[in-house]
Amino acid sequence: VGVSSLDGLVQAAYQGLYFREASRDEIDQAAKFVELYESSTETPQRPMRLAALPDGRSAIALSAGVPASIRIAPINELIESNSDGDFTIEATVMLHSLYADASVRTIVAGWADKNTERGWSLGVTSTKSAYQPRNLILQLVGSRGEEQGKPEYEVVPSNLRVELNTPYYIAVSIDLDDASDKGITFYLQDLSKPDAEPQVAHVAHQARWNVQSNRPIEIGGRSNHHLWDGLVHSVRLHQAALSRDE
């Protein structure tokens, strides 16, 4: 606390409490108290968020022990899409741990975490998941039988397994109006092995419309729950169902 700012603070306090100015001696006593307090009180350290993948590329470190996520304003191009709701998610990440229960380690989500509200979320299952641990999954809430139908929740499992403490390139291409097993394609590439080919999974789904919500995109969590524990190098969203070559 600077001298001038402390003087003004003490004077304002005395005027408010005692309706008079503080004496020089009273100001000096207040300064000694502040100095003593600052010397005996530990200043909380902000968690270090900057980190690096094993290959040296910069990343953001997110820890479920110190809850945090990154929020981005709603992307109008996705909400007002002319591509029949198709989109692609890409991410380069590394996961450190799983939850002890069935919670999901979320990579990125556009969802309020309510099964009655439209949205989507990409993440990895935890220890007690019905889909088995470390399963890369997409959660969708959208309309099925007709475009104006009520939103319904589903889990689309890739059955591709994410190893802990291993850097991955992850992508999922969503052709929303194709409900066949060609409609959603997952890619999982182990970046710790230079020559590793991506694992690929084609999976059917049920939601065909209205999976985008007018809410912030959240990286590393879902409505402050289902938090990522690990590194995030990059996350990209595309307004199209991209092929592997794209």
Side-chain angles (χ1 to χ4, degrees):
V1 178
V3 174
S4 60
S5 61
L6 177 61
D7 286 5
L9 181 63
V10 173
Q11 290 289 8
Y14 268 75
Q15 288 287 359
L17 294 171
Y18 306 119
F19 305 101
R20 66 174 177 84
E21 293 185 355
S23 68
R24 185 69 257 170
D25 184 54
E26 288 167 331
I27 292 174
D28 291 342
Q29 288 181 17
K32 289 179 181 179
F33 170 78
V34 170
E35 183 179 353
L36 178 62
Y37 177 82
E38 289 181 339
S39 65
S40 61
T41 304
E42 292 186 6
T43 302
Q45 296 295 316
R46 293 185 177 182
M48 291 296 294
R49 296 294 183 194
L50 295 181
L53 293 174
D55 63 6
R57 286 184 292 173
S58 61
I60 295 175
L62 297 176
S63 170
V66 184
S69 60
I70 303 165
R71 294 191 175 188
I72 302 168
I75 301 174
N76 291 330
E77 288 80 1
L78 290 177
I79 299 169
E80 302 169 358
S81 175
N82 294 320
S83 61
D84 297 323
D86 299 349
F87 65 111
T88 299
I89 307 165
E90 295 182 284
T92 301
V93 297
M94 185 164 71
L95 180 61
H96 290 331
S97 74
L98 304 179
Y99 281 103
D101 57 16
S103 300
V104 176
R105 292 296 193 200
T106 303
I107 299 170
V108 59
W111 182 32
D113 201 24
K114 297 180 181 178
N115 291 1
T116 58
E117 295 185 14
R118 63 184 183 174
W120 54 267
S121 179
L122 178 65
V124 179
T125 59
S126 284
T127 307
K128 294 185 179 180
S129 171
Y131 298 91
Q132 302 301 310
R134 299 183 292 101
N135 199 344
L136 180 64
I137 64 169
L138 180 68
Q139 293 161 281
L140 293 175
V141 186
S143 304
R144 296 181 182 181
E146 58 183 2
E147 186 170 356
Q148 302 307 318
K150 69 177 183 179
E152 296 184 68
Y153 171 79
E154 67 180 298
V155 175
V156 184
S158 71
N159 294 321
L160 303 177
R161 308 292 167 178
V162 175
E163 297 293 339
L164 300 182
N165 301 310
T166 302
Y168 284 99
Y169 166 77
I170 292 172
V172 56
S173 175
I174 300 106
D175 185 346
L176 202 59
D177 60 359
D178 183 355
S180 75
D181 60 4
K182 303 297 183 184
I184 292 181
T185 303
F186 291 88
Y187 301 92
L188 180 67
Q189 183 176 15
D190 184 346
L191 298 179
S192 70
K193 302 174 181 178
D195 298 325
E197 288 291 318
Q199 301 176 61
V200 181
H202 301 285
V203 189
H205 64 284
Q206 298 180 71
R208 297 181 58 203
W209 299 276
N210 304 324
V211 299
Q212 299 293 347
S213 62
N214 187 17
R215 58 171 287 105
I217 302 297
E218 193 170 358
I219 299 171
R222 200 165 74 225
S223 296
N224 296 319
H225 297 90
H226 301 276
L227 300 169
W228 187 254
D229 181 34
L231 305 183
V232 177
H233 166 68
S234 63
V235 174
R236 294 182 292 272
L237 300 175
H238 305 272
Q239 186 192 350
L242 301 181
S243 67
R244 177 175 174 176
D245 294 336
E246 295 175 295

